[in-house]
Amino acid sequence: MSQVKNISDSLKPIVALCKRRGFIYPGSELYGGFANTYSFGPYGAQLKKNLKDLWWQTFVQKRRDMVGLDGPILLHPKAWAASGHLEGFNDALIDCKACKGRFRCDHLIEEALKQDAEGLTIPQMTDLIHSKKVKCPKCAAQDFTDARHFNLMFSTHMSKTGADGDVAYLRPETAQAIFLDYKNIVDTMRVKIPFGVAQIGKAFRNEITPGNFVFRVIEFEQMEIEYFIKESDWERLFVEWLKSMHDWCKLIGLNPARIHEKEHPKEQLSHYSKRTVDLVYDFPFGTSELYGLAYRTDFDLRRHAEFSGQNLEYTDPETREKFIPHVLEPTFGVERTVLALLCDAYDEEQLENGEMRTVLHLHPRIAPVKVAVFPLMKKDPLGPKAKEVFDLLQEMTACEYDESGAIGKRYRRQDELGTPFCVTIDFETIEDGTVTLRERDSMKQERVLIKDLVQILAQKLA
Ligand code: ATP
């Protein structure tokens, strides 16, 4: 099944660049593709790593109230009963009898009837789709089954006895792994409320996706924080976290004008939440959720205490008061961040000579390659000199060496990778020890001494 065919037109230039330049490949392409899976190629993997490292630095290393965790993907199945996922983590889906296509009812209603479907029951959705004669987006037939709930969790078996009781679930969110280790962290880490636990890891959801590239995939990474608080502090800390999330968006270079807050109406809140605000981003295919901030109350810890029979109360070290902490959850999807960054950074510019250049204006902080080094020509003495410069710069940052093809083409390639700086070694370098330093966005070039290069680049990249 080719994914590219299903991709919305507005994303196609970005998808093409991702493939051409080794950011993101369709999953299992060798076997004709595997729907809604993608592989992050060499530059995509580096971009993701830069993001995750920066997030960890920002929210764990630089804060005294946060610790990190790397919990398992497979949790005890009872955890999913306690969290409410076994019972309530569903999508309402409907099948077209004619072409056997399967669709999310809310997407179908929103697209065909331009009506918000949140909060509608299964019979209400079935009724609406049948009575308004909604057409199948694939084959245009008006012949749907009744809507049904499908659980989004992937299940697997632990190979003990092969019985139903051996079933295990791949986590659909990283959060629950944090709740399961809450007690261990309190007992071993000298943390005091308010404190947070951060985790970066994979989550899996068996979703029907409308083909918006990596916006909605079945396997993705979340960067999540569970911030444990006293109930009375929740409103104040909610506002603080919302601000921290906006600050993060600025730090990675997202355009603030494209980010908005979307408050979930009370009647549409998840079963665990008393308030949720999404940060939504103006993607080319429409404004959609990038991140979320939820006040999960004490729902999760209370349920895990109940289902496990363990005491999960916290004892205030000063007042000796005992209580189950409440929780704020800022959550950040890695793939959606990558997509927003690519959409924000992507540009096709007409140059003065009439040529077009495609460029990614990625913030230097997260760009996969920071500096590219080129000899004007491969041969002596330029090649060896350029390698010397490359060795020097490689000590300080992520560099790439490229000696093949016309220099203009090499610049274009780095523009498409979002490399902020290029350094070219030419015959003047051999005479006076200077190189050309070219900046990606302005394309301005200046001559600088090799001996000053590390310092100049360190300043520019900071
Ligand atoms: P949506 O409403 O788009 O399905 P959600 O509200 O279910 O998202 P959460 O459960 O809040 O999402 O998940 C936290 C974050 O994980 C989201 O803000 C998003 O960044 C990311 N995320 C969720 N589902 C996916 C997915 N299928 N593919 C990629 N990222 C996802």
Side-chain angles (χ1 to χ4, degrees), residues 55-81:
W55 189 88
W56 195 262
Q57 215 181 66
T58 307
F59 291 111
V60 182
Q61 287 169 350
K62 289 192 175 171
R63 295 182 58 132
R64 291 178 53 204
D65 56 346
M66 295 283 302
V67 294
L69 181 76
D70 187 3
I73 282 171
L74 296 169
L75 303 181
H76 194 292
K78 267 195 191 168
W80 302 113

Short mmCIF file of all heavy atoms in Angstrom, two decimals, residues 55-81:
data_model
loop_
_atom_site.label_atom_id
_atom_site.label_comp_id
_atom_site.label_asym_id
_atom_site.label_seq_id
_atom_site.Cartn_x
_atom_site.Cartn_y
_atom_site.Cartn_z
N TRP A 55 14.84 18.84 24.57
CA TRP A 55 13.68 18.74 25.48
C TRP A 55 14.13 18.23 26.84
O TRP A 55 13.75 18.76 27.88
CB TRP A 55 12.65 17.78 24.85
CG TRP A 55 11.33 17.74 25.56
CD1 TRP A 55 10.26 18.54 25.35
CD2 TRP A 55 10.95 16.81 26.61
NE1 TRP A 55 9.22 18.18 26.19
CE2 TRP A 55 9.62 17.12 26.96
CE3 TRP A 55 11.59 15.76 27.26
CZ2 TRP A 55 8.93 16.42 27.95
CZ3 TRP A 55 10.89 15.07 28.25
CH2 TRP A 55 9.58 15.40 28.57
N TRP A 56 14.97 17.21 26.83
CA TRP A 56 15.47 16.61 28.09
C TRP A 56 16.30 17.63 28.88
O TRP A 56 16.16 17.76 30.09
CB TRP A 56 16.29 15.36 27.75
CG TRP A 56 16.57 14.47 28.91
CD1 TRP A 56 17.70 14.42 29.67
CD2 TRP A 56 15.69 13.47 29.45
NE1 TRP A 56 17.57 13.46 30.64
CE2 TRP A 56 16.35 12.86 30.53
CE3 TRP A 56 14.41 13.04 29.13
CZ2 TRP A 56 15.77 11.84 31.30
CZ3 TRP A 56 13.84 12.01 29.88
CH2 TRP A 56 14.51 11.43 30.95
N GLN A 57 17.14 18.35 28.11
CA GLN A 57 17.96 19.39 28.74
C GLN A 57 17.07 20.46 29.38
O GLN A 57 17.30 20.89 30.51
CB GLN A 57 18.75 20.03 27.61
CG GLN A 57 20.13 20.48 27.92
CD GLN A 57 20.68 21.11 26.64
OE1 GLN A 57 20.19 22.14 26.19
NE2 GLN A 57 21.67 20.45 26.04
N THR A 58 16.02 20.86 28.62
CA THR A 58 15.16 21.96 29.07
C THR A 58 14.30 21.55 30.26
O THR A 58 14.18 22.30 31.23
CB THR A 58 14.21 22.37 27.91
OG1 THR A 58 15.01 22.63 26.77
CG2 THR A 58 13.38 23.60 28.26
N PHE A 59 13.71 20.37 30.18
CA PHE A 59 12.70 20.02 31.19
C PHE A 59 13.22 19.09 32.29
O PHE A 59 12.56 18.93 33.30
CB PHE A 59 11.47 19.40 30.51
CG PHE A 59 10.70 20.39 29.69
CD1 PHE A 59 10.67 20.31 28.30
CD2 PHE A 59 10.02 21.44 30.30
CE1 PHE A 59 9.97 21.23 27.55
CE2 PHE A 59 9.31 22.37 29.55
CZ PHE A 59 9.29 22.27 28.17
N VAL A 60 14.40 18.49 32.09
CA VAL A 60 14.93 17.64 33.15
C VAL A 60 16.22 18.24 33.72
O VAL A 60 16.27 18.62 34.89
CB VAL A 60 15.17 16.19 32.68
CG1 VAL A 60 15.67 15.32 33.82
CG2 VAL A 60 13.89 15.60 32.09
N GLN A 61 17.24 18.40 32.85
CA GLN A 61 18.54 18.81 33.37
C GLN A 61 18.54 20.20 33.97
O GLN A 61 19.22 20.46 34.95
CB GLN A 61 19.59 18.72 32.26
CG GLN A 61 19.93 17.27 31.96
CD GLN A 61 20.76 17.11 30.71
OE1 GLN A 61 20.95 18.04 29.94
NE2 GLN A 61 21.24 15.91 30.49
N LYS A 62 17.77 21.12 33.36
CA LYS A 62 17.84 22.50 33.82
C LYS A 62 16.85 22.82 34.94
O LYS A 62 16.70 23.97 35.31
CB LYS A 62 17.62 23.45 32.65
CG LYS A 62 18.78 23.48 31.68
CD LYS A 62 18.64 24.63 30.73
CE LYS A 62 19.87 24.73 29.84
NZ LYS A 62 19.67 25.69 28.77
N ARG A 63 16.11 21.82 35.42
CA ARG A 63 15.11 22.09 36.46
C ARG A 63 15.41 21.24 37.68
O ARG A 63 15.72 20.06 37.56
CB ARG A 63 13.70 21.79 35.93
CG ARG A 63 13.28 22.70 34.79
CD ARG A 63 11.88 22.38 34.35
NE ARG A 63 10.91 22.52 35.42
CZ ARG A 63 9.75 23.18 35.31
NH1 ARG A 63 9.42 23.78 34.18
NH2 ARG A 63 8.91 23.23 36.32
N ARG A 64 15.24 21.85 38.85
CA ARG A 64 15.52 21.09 40.08
C ARG A 64 14.30 20.29 40.53
O ARG A 64 14.39 19.49 41.45
CB ARG A 64 15.97 22.05 41.16
CG ARG A 64 17.36 22.61 40.85
CD ARG A 64 17.82 23.60 41.88
NE ARG A 64 17.74 23.05 43.22
CZ ARG A 64 17.63 23.79 44.31
NH1 ARG A 64 17.59 25.09 44.21
NH2 ARG A 64 17.56 23.22 45.50
N ASP A 65 13.13 20.58 39.91
CA ASP A 65 11.91 19.90 40.34
C ASP A 65 11.54 18.73 39.43
O ASP A 65 10.42 18.24 39.47
CB ASP A 65 10.73 20.90 40.37
CG ASP A 65 10.52 21.58 39.02
OD1 ASP A 65 11.43 21.48 38.17
OD2 ASP A 65 9.46 22.18 38.82
N MET A 66 12.49 18.29 38.57
CA MET A 66 12.14 17.24 37.61
C MET A 66 13.16 16.10 37.65
O MET A 66 14.36 16.34 37.83
CB MET A 66 12.16 17.81 36.18
CG MET A 66 11.12 18.87 35.91
SD MET A 66 9.47 18.21 35.64
CE MET A 66 9.78 17.14 34.28
N VAL A 67 12.68 14.88 37.46
CA VAL A 67 13.57 13.73 37.26
C VAL A 67 13.12 12.98 36.01
O VAL A 67 12.00 13.18 35.54
CB VAL A 67 13.57 12.77 38.47
CG1 VAL A 67 14.17 13.41 39.71
CG2 VAL A 67 12.15 12.25 38.77
N GLY A 68 13.98 12.11 35.50
CA GLY A 68 13.65 11.38 34.27
C GLY A 68 13.32 9.92 34.56
O GLY A 68 13.62 9.40 35.64
N LEU A 69 12.71 9.29 33.58
CA LEU A 69 12.37 7.87 33.70
C LEU A 69 12.40 7.25 32.31
O LEU A 69 12.12 7.93 31.31
CB LEU A 69 10.96 7.72 34.30
CG LEU A 69 10.46 6.30 34.52
CD1 LEU A 69 11.14 5.67 35.74
CD2 LEU A 69 8.95 6.25 34.73
N ASP A 70 12.73 5.96 32.25
CA ASP A 70 12.60 5.22 30.99
C ASP A 70 11.87 3.92 31.30
O ASP A 70 12.49 2.91 31.59
CB ASP A 70 14.01 4.97 30.40
CG ASP A 70 13.95 4.36 29.01
OD1 ASP A 70 12.83 4.19 28.49
OD2 ASP A 70 15.01 4.06 28.46
N GLY A 71 10.58 3.98 31.30
CA GLY A 71 9.75 2.83 31.70
C GLY A 71 9.49 1.89 30.53
O GLY A 71 9.77 2.21 29.38
N PRO A 72 8.95 0.71 30.84
CA PRO A 72 8.72 -0.28 29.78
C PRO A 72 7.52 0.03 28.88
O PRO A 72 6.57 0.69 29.31
CB PRO A 72 8.46 -1.58 30.56
CG PRO A 72 8.05 -1.17 31.91
CD PRO A 72 8.57 0.20 32.17
N ILE A 73 7.57 -0.50 27.68
CA ILE A 73 6.44 -0.36 26.74
C ILE A 73 5.31 -1.31 27.15
O ILE A 73 4.15 -0.98 27.03
CB ILE A 73 6.94 -0.66 25.30
CG1 ILE A 73 7.70 0.56 24.77
CG2 ILE A 73 5.78 -1.02 24.36
CD1 ILE A 73 8.41 0.36 23.47
N LEU A 74 5.69 -2.47 27.65
CA LEU A 74 4.68 -3.44 28.08
C LEU A 74 4.48 -3.32 29.59
O LEU A 74 5.42 -3.56 30.36
CB LEU A 74 5.13 -4.86 27.73
CG LEU A 74 5.27 -5.15 26.22
CD1 LEU A 74 5.96 -6.48 25.99
CD2 LEU A 74 3.92 -5.14 25.53
N LEU A 75 3.28 -2.95 29.99
CA LEU A 75 2.97 -2.84 31.41
C LEU A 75 2.02 -3.98 31.79
O LEU A 75 1.36 -4.56 30.91
CB LEU A 75 2.27 -1.51 31.71
CG LEU A 75 3.01 -0.23 31.31
CD1 LEU A 75 2.17 0.99 31.69
CD2 LEU A 75 4.37 -0.15 31.98
N HIS A 76 1.91 -4.25 33.06
CA HIS A 76 0.96 -5.26 33.53
C HIS A 76 -0.44 -4.92 32.98
O HIS A 76 -0.88 -3.77 33.08
CB HIS A 76 0.94 -5.25 35.07
CG HIS A 76 0.25 -6.44 35.63
ND1 HIS A 76 -1.10 -6.67 35.49
CD2 HIS A 76 0.76 -7.50 36.32
CE1 HIS A 76 -1.42 -7.80 36.08
NE2 HIS A 76 -0.31 -8.34 36.58
N PRO A 77 -1.12 -5.90 32.40
CA PRO A 77 -2.43 -5.60 31.78
C PRO A 77 -3.42 -4.92 32.72
O PRO A 77 -4.26 -4.15 32.27
CB PRO A 77 -2.94 -6.99 31.35
CG PRO A 77 -1.73 -7.83 31.23
CD PRO A 77 -0.73 -7.31 32.21
N LYS A 78 -3.29 -5.18 34.03
CA LYS A 78 -4.20 -4.53 34.97
C LYS A 78 -4.05 -3.01 34.95
O LYS A 78 -4.97 -2.28 35.29
CB LYS A 78 -3.90 -5.02 36.40
CG LYS A 78 -4.72 -6.20 36.83
CD LYS A 78 -4.59 -6.32 38.34
CE LYS A 78 -5.16 -7.64 38.84
NZ LYS A 78 -4.78 -7.86 40.24
N ALA A 79 -2.84 -2.55 34.58
CA ALA A 79 -2.60 -1.10 34.55
C ALA A 79 -3.57 -0.43 33.56
O ALA A 79 -4.03 0.69 33.80
CB ALA A 79 -1.15 -0.81 34.15
N TRP A 80 -3.88 -1.13 32.47
CA TRP A 80 -4.74 -0.53 31.44
C TRP A 80 -6.21 -0.61 31.83
O TRP A 80 -7.03 0.17 31.32
CB TRP A 80 -4.49 -1.18 30.08
CG TRP A 80 -3.06 -1.04 29.69
CD1 TRP A 80 -2.13 -2.03 29.57
CD2 TRP A 80 -2.35 0.19 29.47
NE1 TRP A 80 -0.89 -1.50 29.28
CE2 TRP A 80 -1.00 -0.13 29.21
CE3 TRP A 80 -2.72 1.54 29.48
CZ2 TRP A 80 -0.03 0.84 28.95
CZ3 TRP A 80 -1.75 2.51 29.23
CH2 TRP A 80 -0.43 2.15 28.96
N ALA A 81 -6.52 -1.55 32.72
CA ALA A 81 -7.88 -1.58 33.26
C ALA A 81 -8.02 -0.40 34.23
O ALA A 81 -9.00 0.35 34.19
CB ALA A 81 -8.13 -2.90 33.97
#
